[in-house]
Amino acid sequence: MLRAHQIRGARAALRQFEFGGRATVVFPGGAGKTVLGAAVVESLKAPLSLVVAPTLALVDQTAASYANWTAHAPNETMLVCHRTSRRGVGRSTDAGAVARFLAERRDKNTLLLSTYRSLPVVAAALRAAGRRADVGVFDEAHVTTFRGDGHGLATDANLDCARRLYLTATPRLLRAPRAEPGRTATPACLLYTSDAADEGLGVDLGGRRII
């Protein structure tokens, strides 16, 4: 059963999706961000959901949480990472194999769980299958502001995702690089903090801002 602050956070994220394609939930460590993300995915019942975590261990933990909190069957779930301790769930880092998985399940509600470093595989598979992620949940989302190691690939230009839910305890803002003289800078912000949010949609939890 969700705790009260998780319910408030999930509702705030779902309300934000009614106005735009991005939402950020800022919870302190141990407050249950992963379960909140699973609750949002289950509420949306999207045809294709993508969940991203920074490490292999967190992918395994997230897969276990989503197995408990969502209705996705093992044969409707694929892990996009180099190894896993999960049994009975497909795993691959081959874009062709992931694309076939997606193409064969167009009429199913499917779930991809990936590390940030494997996002190029996910992006290539989506293009090959002609699919778009209906919702993406980015756990430990502050890593999307880092450069290198594939973390910065969680951008609109590189990953086709209709709605994005960022989960973090330490929000960061990636600012656009300075424009060259005579040229306009392109915004490069991936993770929105409360400074950029509609204050009417926020919920407070112990000094943290749920957006």
Side-chain angles (χ1 to χ4, degrees):
M1 184 174 181
L2 291 177
R3 290 174 282 175
H5 67 273
Q6 292 170 315
I7 293 172
R8 295 200 306 272
R11 287 175 176 171
L14 291 168
R15 285 200 306 272
Q16 176 60 28
F17 283 150
E18 296 176 4
F19 295 92
R22 294 175 187 244
T24 300
V25 173
V26 181
F27 271 1
K33 294 183 291 294
T34 300
V35 170
L36 182 150
V40 169
V41 166
E42 183 65 10
S43 294
L44 291 172
K45 298 192 182 302
L48 176 54
S49 302
L50 168 66
V51 182
V52 192
T55 66
L56 294 169
L58 280 176
V59 168
D60 279 350
Q61 293 174 26
T62 301
S65 292
Y66 275 67
N68 290 330
W69 288 91
T70 74
H72 290 95
N75 64 346
E76 296 165 359
T77 302
M78 176 168 275
L79 307 185
V80 186
C81 55
H82 291 286
R83 65 178 183 273
T84 179
S85 62
R86 299 286 295 172
R87 297 182 181 274
V89 179
R91 184 204 62 80
S92 182
T93 53
D94 177 73
V98 180
R100 287 191 295 274
F101 171 84
L102 295 174
E104 293 168 357
R105 290 165 176 79
R106 291 182 182 274
D107 60 340
K108 304 285 187 181
N109 285 356
T110 51
L111 174 66
L112 294 180
L113 294 106
S114 173
T115 58
Y116 283 98
R117 290 189 178 184
S118 292
L119 277 180
V121 175
V122 173
L126 290 172
R127 290 192 296 269
R131 299 288 303 272
R132 183 186 200 193
D134 298 283
V135 60
V137 179
F138 298 84
D139 209 351
E140 303 296 337
H142 48 276
V143 303
T144 64
T145 65
F146 300 163
R147 300 190 184 277
D149 294 333
H151 293 160
L153 291 172
T155 61
D156 290 333
N158 294 315
L159 186 67
D160 196 2
C161 186
R163 290 167 290 196
R164 296 167 182 261
L165 173 59
Y166 295 109
L167 305 174
T168 184
T170 53
R172 293 169 59 93
L173 191 67
L174 179 64
R175 300 188 182 279
R178 290 184 178 181
E180 297 178 8
R183 303 185 67 176
T184 302
T186 301
C189 176
L190 300 179
L191 180 61
Y192 290 101
T193 66
S194 57
D195 293 336
D198 182 345
E199 293 297 321
L201 295 175
V203 179
D204 286 315
L205 174 67
R208 297 287 188 178
R209 192 74 182 167
I210 305 172
I211 303 169

